Amino acid sequence: MDYTSGMDDDAYARLDLLARRLPGPAERTEATRLVGLVRQADEDARRAGGGTGPDGPPSAAREELAAVLAEPGRPLWARRLVSYALARLGDRRAFETLVFLLNYRDPACGAVAAEALVRLGDPRTARAAAALAANGLRSAYALHPVRLLAELDAPESVPALIDTLRRLLAGPDHHWPVALACTEGLGRLGDPRAREVLLEAREHTRLRNAAGAALRGL
C-alpha cells in the first residue's frame, strides 16, 4: 500500500478534536494515550518503509490499537477513534467496526466511517454498504451507506441504489434525505439501468430537480 493513504495532519487533527470533546478527564486521558499509540504506529510504519496492512511489519503500538477493537466493554468513542486510525494506517482489522459505525444512529459516526472505509480500500466494502442500504428496518440510517456506494462506483453500486430508491419511493416513509442521496448517486454514476426508477423519482416534488439532472446525465 502506498503510504500516502496513511496518517496526515488532517487525520491527527480529527483525532485530537475527538479527544478534546470527551466529557470527563478519564476519557480524555485515555484518548490522549490512544492518539499517542497512533503516532507511534505511524512512526513505526514510516521507519519500516510504509507497509501498514496486516501483512506489514510488526508494530507493538499497532497491535495494542487493534486489541482495543476486540476488548469487551470498550466505549463507542474509543472504537471510533481506533478504527478510524487503523483504517488510515491500512489495517483491515478496522473493517467490521467501521461497517457497524457506517449505519449507526449518530450521523457523525457514519460520516467518519465512510471516509475511513474509502481510505482502507477493503474489497468487502461495497457489498457491506449495499447490504446496509437494503435493510428496510434501518432506512433512516442509510444515508452514509448510500453515499459510499456512489463514491465507490463498484459493481454493487448501481443495483443497490436502484433497489433502495425504488423501495423508498414505494414505501409509506420515503426517508427523503436517503432517497435524494440515491437519486444524486445514480446521477453521478450515469448508468442507463437507472432510467426507469429516476423517471419514478421525478414524479416526487422533493426529488424532481435531482432526478431531472440525473436523467439528463444518462
Side-chain angles (χ1 to χ4, degrees):
M1 173 177 287
D2 185 348
Y3 195 78
T4 55
S5 64
M7 299 297 294
D8 57 21
D9 289 343
D10 288 341
Y12 282 122
R14 185 187 290 279
L15 297 183
D16 289 337
L17 180 62
L18 175 60
R20 290 196 300 271
R21 285 181 172 177
L22 291 170
E27 290 89 347
R28 290 193 293 272
T29 297
E30 175 62 4
T32 299
R33 185 185 76 85
L34 292 175
V35 173
L37 286 173
V38 174
R39 293 185 181 277
Q40 183 61 56
D42 190 21
E43 182 179 339
D44 291 344
R46 292 178 186 274
R47 190 181 301 116
T52 58
D55 297 326
S59 165
R62 191 181 68 190
E63 293 305 306
E64 190 170 347
L65 288 169
V68 170
L69 300 182
E71 291 175 9
R74 276 285 186 170
L76 180 67
W77 68 259
R79 296 179 185 277
R80 175 181 171 186
L81 186 156
V82 169
S83 61
Y84 174 79
L86 286 175
R88 293 294 299 252
L89 292 171
D91 195 317
R92 290 182 178 173
R93 286 174 289 186
F95 176 77
E96 291 183 0
T97 300
L98 291 171
V99 169
F100 167 75
L101 294 173
L102 183 65
N103 197 224
Y104 194 65
R105 62 180 179 269
D106 180 358
C109 283
V112 170
E115 175 194 334
L117 284 165
V118 170
R119 291 276 189 166
L120 184 59
D122 192 296
R124 299 171 291 176
T125 300
R127 186 167 63 253
L132 293 175
N135 186 347
L137 298 178
R138 301 284 296 177
S139 293
Y141 310 116
L143 180 62
H144 292 294
V146 163
R147 288 178 173 172
L148 181 57
L149 284 167
E151 184 169 358
L152 292 173
D153 192 8
E156 297 89 346
S157 295
V158 170
L161 292 178
I162 290 174
D163 290 345
T164 301
L165 180 55
R166 181 169 287 122
R167 173 170 52 80
L168 294 176
L169 294 178
D173 191 343
H174 301 299
H175 297 291
W176 292 116
V178 181
L180 179 60
C182 288
T183 304
E184 292 174 340
L186 289 169
R188 175 178 178 177
L189 296 173
D191 193 304
R193 289 176 292 175
R195 182 176 302 280
E196 181 179 344
V197 74
L198 289 173
L199 288 170
E200 295 175 23
R202 196 173 57 178
E203 299 302 313
H204 295 264
T205 302
R206 299 192 189 188
L207 304 178
R208 184 169 297 151
N209 291 339
L215 285 163
R216 289 192 295 272
L218 293 184

